[in-house]
Amino acid sequence: MKKLIIALCLSLALFGCQSSASADSKNVKRKVAPQAYSFHKTYTVEEMVEKLKGCDIDGVECFPGQAVSKSMPGVKMNPKMNRQQRDFVKKLFRDANIKIVSFGVTNTKNEAEVKELCEFAKDMGFDKIMTEDPVARFPIWEKYGKQYGVTMCVHHHTNSSSNQYWDPETLKKFVSGYEHVKSCPDVGHWSRCGIDPVKGLKTLEGTIGSVHFKDQKKFGAEKNDPAVFGEGELDVKGMLAELDRQGFDGYFVIEYEADWDNNLPLIKKCVEFLRKN
């Protein structure tokens, strides 16, 4: 009887641990980062960072070409910034306790520009770069990605693009076998192609480095018409469940390409949705 009681106690203890682990896995805080493109028409980098202070985010994916500050006319967020300008941007983010987590979408013309971007990433402290560079340049990204500790993530637009990155099956073939070249699915653009985002994410399993996470007011509409997460027609909870199943630990990048003059409240609602689901 004593042995039986001990065995039952052990079983209950193990069950309790498993239940706790399961609960913890569901309550892992998602890593959330708005895409600076959402703000580039309205705010400089300096103004954007000020607006994002106190928001429940983990970082920002910076957009190449966004004006840095009204105090620096003509200076854009890109690898051409000099040391003073780079340090100015670093301090903006550091003082706001916000990280730069990735950069894009940007494209290169040659190997020198790939190297330049990877050097820029290392200097500014982020490790993901979004591009739609041609497949022939992927080995170059792999080379410098390994050297600088950077991962290039292949972004895509719709099926009207000159490349085929919008097709999950094709994209998986292109990025498979690389360590520093991954995919960056944009579920909003998939919707515009009539591609089920949940199925697309399943197809890219094992290759996803980052996600441009979106909802759309109407699935399959050609127009880019974003919605607050959970208020559109995309299966947002299904996408989250699929990414959780895959053990995705990258950033959910919120790119809200509408209501340009006042989309921060909508982005905050998207952040809240990700925190609660």
Side-chain angles (χ1 to χ4, degrees), residues 39 43 46-55 264 268:
F39 308 108
Y43 304 127
E46 183 176 23
E47 291 167 334
M48 174 189 72
V49 171
E50 183 63 31
K51 293 286 184 182
L52 291 172
K53 282 182 180 178
C55 294
L264 183 57
K268 285 182 176 179

Side-chain angles (χ1 to χ4, degrees), residues 130 153-157 165-166 168 171 182-190 197 200-202 204-205 207-214 239 243 246 248 251-253 255:
M130 315 298 144
C153 299
V154 183
H155 182 264
H156 63 86
H157 283 85
Y165 302 153
W166 56 271
L171 181 54
K182 301 294 181 182
S183 63
C184 174
D186 185 310
V187 299
H189 291 319
W190 271 345
L201 293 171
K202 286 181 180 179
L204 288 175
E205 182 172 1
T207 74
I208 301 174
S210 184
V211 178
H212 279 192
F213 204 75
K214 301 175 180 179
M239 291 189 283
L243 287 166
Q246 293 183 26
F248 175 70
Y251 283 88
F252 290 82
V253 177
E255 187 176 34

